[in-house]
């Protein structure tokens, strides 16, 4: 009995010594990392994890903007077959692939976890189950590697990605258009934004995807591998009469920067239903006017995006919010890949004397590089970098989070008047 008690006591003592030793090693590692941060001239290296929706991404970037390695697992083909993103399926695919994706990114960079200075992870906004996978894995890497943790706001990352590849100084106007968002904001610093307008209902990418499905564009071999937005843009380029369908000028008379695309969705749906009924279209066939309808939708959407953006520019001018030499419009998000929208916005920028900057296509869609870069920007300014282990473990995810301080009422109250820039030249291209 005495020997048994001694053994138990010895084991407990051993565990205590091991725990103290581990605490000492972690503390020493933190001190070394902190000293290295302030004394080492080499750029810090940030590993970023993105799982806010349906793509599992990992990027490794240093604080100079150099991309060291990246990897991504796209779920696009799977969700195309499902007719849209199924959150439970997205969650399971993230779980299955996140380890491999991060290992591939490290391998591409020729690095190990010990070479990384901090882990940055999307924690808001997005699909909760998807965010949970990334946050859990990110905190795991932070824990086993004893690395600082940087929670990232997905939309802030989109807004600042362009600064990795081009010189864009604060403050600047940013337009984010994607499958989940449509917003205009002033980016004042790495962690300070002023929201001028956002969508009151459906995001543009969501509407494009749903209309592409309703038109059954996936049944046309040429578009079968494309997401909805790509299919709509490609189909619109083949239109013979791009203005055949008249869609109302939604939000045109509202003196604010808010977006609304639900009306377009319902109007286009009605056109499709009418043609299917009149022409007795088979369930798997596409209506004859599909290409013209896509062009009309794209034209109507472009007009709204441009009118809202122009009003934001007019508000900025009226309030002298951005110096003349820094007046820049940055566009990002998946829908920013649309060339028709980009050309329309270029016309507006030219008329309003704003520099036009589009985030590179490969970085417009969700990816790990943009998260790593946002982490790098925060590392350089020490904004939101968490080093305390208990604080890291307490980091949570959020489904819906606004971007920055809400100025939408300020814009409305300003009652800015402006003559809208004509976009007719677009239709001759």
């Amino acid at each position: 009995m005495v020997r048994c008690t001694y053994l138990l006591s010895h084991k407990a003592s051993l565990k205590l010594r091991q725990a103290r030793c581990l605490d000492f090693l972690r503390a020493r590692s933190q001190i070394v990392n902190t000293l290295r941060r302030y004394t080492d001239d080499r750029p810090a290296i940030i590993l970023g994890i993105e799982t806010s929706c349906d793509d599992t991404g990992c990027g490794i970037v240093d604080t100079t903007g150099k991309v060291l390695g990246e990897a991504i697992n796209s779920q696009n083909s799977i969700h195309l077959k499902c007719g849209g993103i199924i959150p439970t399926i997205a969650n399971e695919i993230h779980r299955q692939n996140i380890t491999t994706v991060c290992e591939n990114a490290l391998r591409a960079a020729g690095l190990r976890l010990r070479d990384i200075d901090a882990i940055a992870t999307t924690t808001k906004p997005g699909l909760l189950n998807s965010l949970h996978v990334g946050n859990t894995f990110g905190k795991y890497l932070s824990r086993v590697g004893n690395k600082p943790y940087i929670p990232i706001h997905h939309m802030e990352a989109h807004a600042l990605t362009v600064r990795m590849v081009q010189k864009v100084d604060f403050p600047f106007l940013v337009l984010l258009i994607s499958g989940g968002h449509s917003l205009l904001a002033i980016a004042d610093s790495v962690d300070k934004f002023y929201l001028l307008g956002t969508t009151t209902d459906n995001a543009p990418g969501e509407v494009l995807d749903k209309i592409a499905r309703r038109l059954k564009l996936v049944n046309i071999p040429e578009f079968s591998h494309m997401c909805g937005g790509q299919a709509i843009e490609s189909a619109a380029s083949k239109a013979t009469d791009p203005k055949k369908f008249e869609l109302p000028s939604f939000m045109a008379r509202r003196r604010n920067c808010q977006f609304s695309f639900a009306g377009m969705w319902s109007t286009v749906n009605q056109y499709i239903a009418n043609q299917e009924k009149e022409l007795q279209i088979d369930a798997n066939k596409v209506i004859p006017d599909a290409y013209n309808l896509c062009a009309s939708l794209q034209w109507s959407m472009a007009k709204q995006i441009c009118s809202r953006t122009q009003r934001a520019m007019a508000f900025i001018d009226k309030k002298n919010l951005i110096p003349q030499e820094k007046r820049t419009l940055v566009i990002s998000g998946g829908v920013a890949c649309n060339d028709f929208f980009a050309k329309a916005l270029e016309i507006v920028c030219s008329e309003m004397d704003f520099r036009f900057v589009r985030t590179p296509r490969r970085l417009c869609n969700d990816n790990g590089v943009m998260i790593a870069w946002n982490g790098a920007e925060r590392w350089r300014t020490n904004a939101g970098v968490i080093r305390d282990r208990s604080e890291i473990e307490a980091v949570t995810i959020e489904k819906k989070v606004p971007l920055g301080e809400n100025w939408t009422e300020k814009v409305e109250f300003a009652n800015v008047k402006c003559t809208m820039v004509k976009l007719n030249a677009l239709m001759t291209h």
Side-chain angles (χ1 to χ4, degrees):
M1 182 68 179
V2 173
R3 179 173 174 77
C4 182
T5 303
Y6 168 77
L7 287 173
L8 289 172
S9 176
H10 178 70
K11 286 181 179 179
S13 177
L14 183 61
K15 284 184 178 179
L16 180 62
R17 288 200 299 273
Q18 287 174 335
R20 285 175 176 171
C21 182
L22 186 59
D23 287 342
F24 169 76
L25 290 173
R26 283 177 173 166
R28 187 179 71 173
S29 177
Q30 277 191 332
I31 293 171
V32 169
N33 286 337
T34 302
L35 287 172
R36 186 173 70 175
R37 179 185 168 212
Y38 289 106
T39 61
D40 196 348
D41 289 334
R42 76 165 183 82
I45 300 172
I46 312 298
L47 182 148
I49 298 171
E50 158 60 21
T51 61
S52 66
C53 191
D54 62 327
D55 286 336
T56 313
C58 180
I60 302 171
V61 172
D62 70 23
T63 45
T64 70
K66 183 179 180 181
V67 178
L68 305 176
E70 61 180 305
I72 193 164
N73 179 72
S74 174
Q75 301 180 17
N76 182 55
S77 60
I78 294 170
H79 294 299
L80 270 177
K81 295 175 183 176
C82 296
I85 296 171
I86 311 298
T88 52
I89 294 176
N91 166 256
E92 181 60 27
I93 297 173
H94 280 310
R95 277 199 325 103
Q96 292 171 1
N97 290 280
I98 192 165
T99 300
T100 302
V101 167
C102 288
E103 286 175 347
N104 288 344
L106 284 165
R107 192 175 296 113
L111 299 172
R112 295 187 178 182
L113 183 58
R114 66 187 179 208
D115 303 312
I116 303 299
D117 290 288
I119 309 297
T121 308
T122 305
T123 58
K124 58 188 177 183
L127 300 176
L128 284 179
N129 288 342
S130 295
L131 288 170
H132 177 71
V133 174
N135 189 42
T136 301
F137 193 75
K139 289 197 286 189
Y140 164 75
L141 291 182
S142 168
R143 185 168 56 252
V144 299
N146 194 29
K147 307 295 181 183
Y149 195 59
I150 311 175
I152 301 295
H153 189 299
H154 183 78
M155 302 314 292
E156 290 180 7
H158 268 307
L160 302 188
T161 303
V162 74
R163 284 167 46 87
M164 188 179 75
V165 295
Q166 286 196 53
K167 181 176 173 54
V168 178
D169 295 325
F170 295 114
F172 60 88
L173 176 64
V174 60
L175 168 67
L176 302 181
I177 40 179
S178 67
H181 305 274
S182 182
L183 60 86
L184 283 156
I186 297 172
D188 195 53
S189 68
V190 171
D191 59 346
K192 195 171 185 180
F193 294 80
Y194 302 110
L195 183 67
L196 306 182
T198 187
T199 182
T200 58
D201 39 57
N202 305 93
E206 177 193 357
V207 171
L208 290 170
D209 284 342
K210 287 181 175 178
I211 290 175
R213 284 200 299 274
R214 182 67 182 83
L215 281 169
K216 296 166 282 194
L217 295 181
V218 71
N219 293 339
I220 300 175
E222 183 181 353
F223 309 136
S224 61
H225 64 289
M226 298 180 182
C227 68
Q230 289 176 311
I232 293 283
E233 182 180 9
S234 184
S237 69
K238 302 176 186 301
T240 56
D241 186 2
K243 289 188 176 180
K244 180 172 183 177
F245 296 91
E246 287 296 327
L247 299 181
S249 298
F250 301 96
M251 305 295 286
R253 302 187 181 205
R254 303 285 180 88
R255 290 183 182 172
N256 57 35
C257 295
Q258 300 288 73
F259 297 87
S260 174
F261 297 102
M264 292 184 195
W265 180 18
S266 60
T267 304
V268 172
N269 268 334
Q270 191 59 53
Y271 278 132
I272 297 170
N274 289 343
Q275 281 208 353
E276 285 178 336
K277 184 177 180 180
E278 289 171 12
L279 303 175
Q280 297 183 333
I281 302 294
D282 183 85
N284 294 318
K285 291 186 178 178
V286 180
I287 61 172
D289 268 324
Y291 294 172
N292 287 331
L293 188 54
C294 287
S296 296
L297 168 66
Q298 192 172 243
W299 169 245
S300 180
M301 198 170 273
K303 286 195 293 183
Q304 183 180 147
I305 290 171
C306 287
S307 70
R308 304 292 90 194
T309 302
Q310 185 183 342
R311 197 172 294 282
M313 292 173 174
F315 173 76
I316 287 168
D317 285 350
K318 184 176 182 177
K319 300 294 184 180
N320 296 313
L321 298 173
I322 299 178
Q324 182 73 28
E325 67 276 9
K326 290 186 178 180
R327 299 204 319 180
T328 300
L329 170 68
V330 169
I331 66 168
S332 190
V335 179
C337 292
N338 184 297
D339 286 332
F340 188 83
F341 296 156
K343 288 173 184 174
L345 288 162
E346 278 189 283
I347 294 172
V348 173
C349 284
S350 178
E351 291 289 328
M352 298 295 291
D353 197 23
F354 267 67
R355 173 187 170 208
F356 175 79
V357 179
R358 177 160 59 158
T359 302
R361 284 174 179 276
R362 72 181 192 86
L363 297 175
C364 275
N365 291 303
D366 296 349
N367 61 85
V369 169
M370 73 179 197
I371 304 304
W373 172 247
N374 196 251
E377 291 242 60
R378 287 177 168 276
W379 178 271
R380 291 189 306 187
T381 57
N382 199 32
V385 180
I386 307 175
R387 292 178 169 82
D388 181 81
R389 178 53 46 195
S390 60
E391 289 183 29
I392 292 172
E393 296 303 330
V395 172
T396 57
I397 56 175
E398 297 177 76
K399 182 178 180 179
K400 291 185 179 181
V401 184
L403 175 65
E405 185 179 335
N406 192 336
W407 277 17
T408 55
E409 288 188 4
K410 286 186 178 183
V411 176
E412 188 103 41
F413 183 75
N415 194 33
V416 178
K417 299 178 182 179
C418 54
T419 303
M420 293 302 159
V421 172
K422 301 297 183 183
L423 301 175
N424 293 331
L426 268 179
M427 304 307 282
T428 63
H429 288 180

